[in-house]
Amino acid sequence: DSGVTQTPKHLITATGQRVTLRCSPRSGDLSVYWYQQSLDQGLQFLIQYYNGEERAKGNILERFSAQQFPDLHSELNLSSLELGDSALYFCASSLLGQGRIGGYTFGSGTRLTVV
Amino acid sequence: AQSVTQPDIHITVSEGASLELRCNYSYGATPYLFWYVQSPGQGLQLLLKYFSGDTLVQGIKGFEAEFKRSQSSFNLRKPSVHWSDAAEYFCAVGEEDQAGTALIFGKGTTLSVSS
């Protein structure tokens, strides 16, 4: 157990629907990062939150949004889902913004399948 | 912009043989470099990291990596591969420690181990 908890582990939904992925960071970590992993694109950085504030944005679609709550857990919202959104979504956490201490700690991911 | 290239998509090594996985990065300043391993159905686990100092870094599971600034490389090595090392390996690069940055990952190298 890495200490980063992601739920659900698997999600199957239809095109056009909206889903919410949840991440609880490792105890003491202030930053949460969301990544999308697909076969063709590899690991793509989506967005980072640090202590409740958005700090960096990557290749995140406008249909996607995220937030980090006061208890530091984070949610990634994916709406108007398309077949191409099917992927493994990872959350990672670190103590500081860049993860100087030990790098990121990753959760085990949420596998999203859009049908 | 930062980028990471892992030239080898798939490598097969005999059990007991040595291993070298290549990683080249593009970054202007001194990068923070990482190697992660991902087993099937799992999240990413940190193998080792380089921030500064000795250019040969030791990691977990008997892995080591060498930072060569002149070649912009950070290759991962292991003297004797075990069947349990079969997995996907990711090289990543990051900036100096400050909030608002994120690790950029290579597309990964899949390692198969033959008996």
Side-chain angles (χ1 to χ4, degrees), chain A residues 88-101:
Chain A
L88 198 50
Y89 290 83
F90 282 110
C91 167
S93 72
S94 72
L95 175 62
L96 300 175
Q98 194 276 336
R100 171 179 282 174
I101 301 176

Side-chain angles (χ1 to χ4, degrees), chain B residues 6 9-11 19 21 36-43 45 47 61 63 81-90 108-113:
Chain B
Q6 293 180 247
I9 296 173
H10 191 185
I11 284 183
L19 169 71
L21 301 182
Y36 283 85
V37 61
Q38 183 181 27
S39 298
Q42 302 295 315
Q45 181 186 19
L47 283 177
K61 305 185 180 188
F63 286 93
V81 167
H82 188 262
W83 64 266
S84 60
D85 294 324
E88 189 155 20
Y89 292 80
F90 293 92
T109 297
T110 300
L111 172 65
S112 297
V113 180

Side-chain angles (χ1 to χ4, degrees), chain B residues 37-113:
Chain B
V37 61
Q38 183 181 27
S39 298
Q42 302 295 315
L44 281 74
Q45 181 186 19
L46 179 67
L47 283 177
L48 48 78
K49 60 187 184 293
Y50 171 79
F51 291 158
S52 65
D54 193 347
T55 57
L56 185 64
V57 293
Q58 303 296 322
I60 63 172
K61 305 185 180 188
F63 286 93
E64 66 178 28
E66 186 171 12
F67 171 60
K68 293 185 177 180
R69 184 190 300 276
S70 61
Q71 299 176 20
S72 296
S73 69
F74 188 58
N75 294 348
L76 182 71
R77 301 194 294 247
K78 186 169 185 178
S80 178
V81 167
H82 188 262
W83 64 266
S84 60
D85 294 324
E88 189 155 20
Y89 292 80
F90 293 92
C91 181
V93 64
E95 297 182 53
E96 285 185 52
D97 182 27
Q98 53 183 286
T101 62
L103 293 186
I104 305 300
F105 286 83
K107 290 192 180 287
T109 297
T110 300
L111 172 65
S112 297
V113 180

Side-chain angles (χ1 to χ4, degrees), chain A residues 7-114:
Chain A
T7 57
K9 291 194 183 306
H10 302 276
L11 200 49
I12 301 175
T13 190
T15 54
Q17 295 299 304
R18 172 190 167 95
V19 296
T20 298
L21 313 183
R22 182 188 169 101
C23 170
S24 294
R26 194 178 58 164
S27 178
D29 285 355
L30 299 177
S31 269
V32 169
Y33 305 80
W34 286 98
Y35 283 82
Q36 179 193 59
Q37 185 180 36
S38 59
L39 283 175
D40 54 343
Q41 296 293 322
L43 268 164
Q44 295 287 309
F45 167 64
L46 296 179
I47 197 164
Q48 178 208 358
Y49 279 82
Y50 177 74
N51 205 20
E53 294 184 7
E54 181 186 306
R55 286 304 184 100
K57 257 186 175 178
N59 301 320
I60 188 166
L61 300 172
E62 285 193 12
R63 299 183 286 108
F64 295 0
S65 65
Q67 54 184 326
Q68 187 179 28
F69 294 85
D71 66 352
L72 300 178
H73 91 270
S74 177
E75 293 181 356
L76 178 67
N77 301 297
L78 314 176
S79 61
S80 302
L81 285 167
E82 303 174 359
L83 296 177
D85 298 326
S86 296
L88 198 50
Y89 290 83
F90 282 110
C91 167
S93 72
S94 72
L95 175 62
L96 300 175
Q98 194 276 336
R100 171 179 282 174
I101 301 176
Y104 293 4
T105 301
F106 279 82
S108 57
T110 294
R111 181 169 295 283
L112 173 66
T113 303
V114 182

